[in-house]
Amino acid sequence: MSGKGRLSDAVWTAFTEALRFIVVPLVLVDLVTSNYPQLSTAFMSEIGTFVMFFGGMIVASSTLEAIHRPGTYKRLLFGMCGLAFVGMWMFVIFGGGIAEFSYGPYFVRFDITKIVYIVLAGISLKALLVYMTFSVNRRAEVERARKRRVDDAEKMRQQARNAKKMKAARAATTLSFERMSSAEFDVTADDDIGYTPSAYVKDLPTGMKICEVCGAQSPTKDYVCKNCGSWFPRDSVI
């Protein structure tokens, strides 16, 4: 089931469980306490609060159980918690198995403790269903998690390869001295860079000057050599 399907299932579960364990029981409790005030149990004075509390826990546990995939530990945990709260809810509704009814001089005491325990035992059997659902779907869940890890690892490797290619492409497009035009250089012992003039320097056109670093010709108005990027002396700029 997809995430959207589980979400809709969880919303429907919350709605139905709220009706079953909160709304309808509160209406019935109100009718009983209003029409039969002589009936009393161990939890009758605060039975509305108990129904709201345990019913809310049942709704929350059932909703969280429905929203998780079968075969996950979270679904198993919330399923077991929901059963525990259902047992507590039933115990409160039945007043622990003891109910007393008085009418005038008459007094009746009902002891259905054994019946309550049988009902709780029947509810606990659902734990087997929850565990069987977990065990049956566990292998599929483990396989799905393994595939997800493999896919994530493959994505990371692909991203690393793409990053390496981009880095190599940037390195290939970076300017280097090897790609610049070569010129004649004389490096003296004191690291002064000197230029050996070529034959065409004698016939230097008007309005042009020579770069002392690379020997390229540039207009006299230029501040920077377009060939090597070195700066011209200030007095050479006209």
Side-chain angles (χ1 to χ4, degrees):
M1 184 182 295
S2 62
K4 186 176 181 180
R6 289 196 305 272
L7 180 60
S8 61
D9 188 25
V11 172
W12 178 251
T13 300
F15 175 73
T16 55
E17 296 298 275
L19 287 179
R20 291 172 56 192
F21 293 100
I22 298 179
V23 178
V24 174
L26 286 178
V27 173
L28 295 178
V29 166
D30 182 68
L31 291 175
V32 171
T33 54
S34 299
N35 296 313
Y36 302 97
Q38 302 87 355
L39 181 65
S40 63
T41 62
F43 306 100
M44 184 62 73
S45 59
E46 299 291 338
I47 191 170
T49 303
F50 285 117
V51 169
M52 285 287 294
F53 175 76
F54 290 115
M57 293 296 101
I58 294 170
V59 172
S61 300
S62 301
T63 303
L64 293 173
E65 178 188 6
I67 205 171
H68 288 93
R69 288 184 299 272
T72 59
Y73 285 104
K74 292 181 180 180
R75 187 182 180 97
L76 176 65
L77 173 63
F78 290 122
M80 293 297 183
C81 291
L83 288 178
F85 287 122
V86 169
M88 297 177 186
W89 184 88
M90 292 292 295
F91 189 80
V92 169
I93 288 294
F94 285 104
I98 304 296
E100 297 177 351
F101 183 81
S102 59
Y103 183 76
Y106 302 101
F107 177 81
V108 180
R109 185 173 186 270
F110 301 95
D111 187 356
I112 55 173
T113 305
K114 295 181 180 180
I115 298 177
V116 172
Y117 289 157
I118 293 174
V119 172
L120 294 178
I123 294 174
S124 64
L125 291 177
K126 190 181 177 182
L128 298 176
L129 176 62
V130 175
Y131 181 77
M132 288 298 297
T133 303
F134 168 78
S135 60
V136 169
N137 294 277
R138 182 58 185 169
R139 180 174 297 180
E141 177 63 21
V142 171
E143 182 65 19
R144 189 198 63 82
R146 187 190 66 81
K147 289 182 178 180
R148 183 179 60 185
R149 290 194 299 269
V150 171
D151 293 340
D152 292 342
E154 182 62 27
K155 289 180 181 178
M156 293 181 64
R157 286 194 293 267
Q158 184 64 32
Q159 291 176 358
R161 288 194 293 267
N162 294 338
K164 188 175 181 180
K165 290 180 181 179
M166 292 178 63
K167 185 177 180 180
R170 287 195 299 267
T173 56
T174 303
L175 294 177
S176 62
F177 287 105
E178 296 178 354
R179 302 182 61 185
M180 295 182 180
S181 60
S182 59
E184 298 178 355
F185 286 90
D186 287 334
V187 181
T188 60
D190 57 357
D191 294 335
D192 290 331
I193 299 176
Y195 165 65
T196 303
S198 301
Y200 65 85
V201 176
K202 297 180 181 179
D203 301 326
L204 188 65
T206 304
M208 302 295 290
K209 57 185 176 181
I210 298 295
C211 177
E212 297 179 357
V213 177
C214 67
Q217 297 183 15
S218 299
T220 55
K221 63 180 181 179
D222 288 351
Y223 290 88
V224 180
C225 177
K226 297 180 180 179
N227 184 50
C228 65
S230 61
W231 289 82
F232 290 113
R234 181 178 298 178
D235 55 359
S236 67
V237 179
I238 301 176

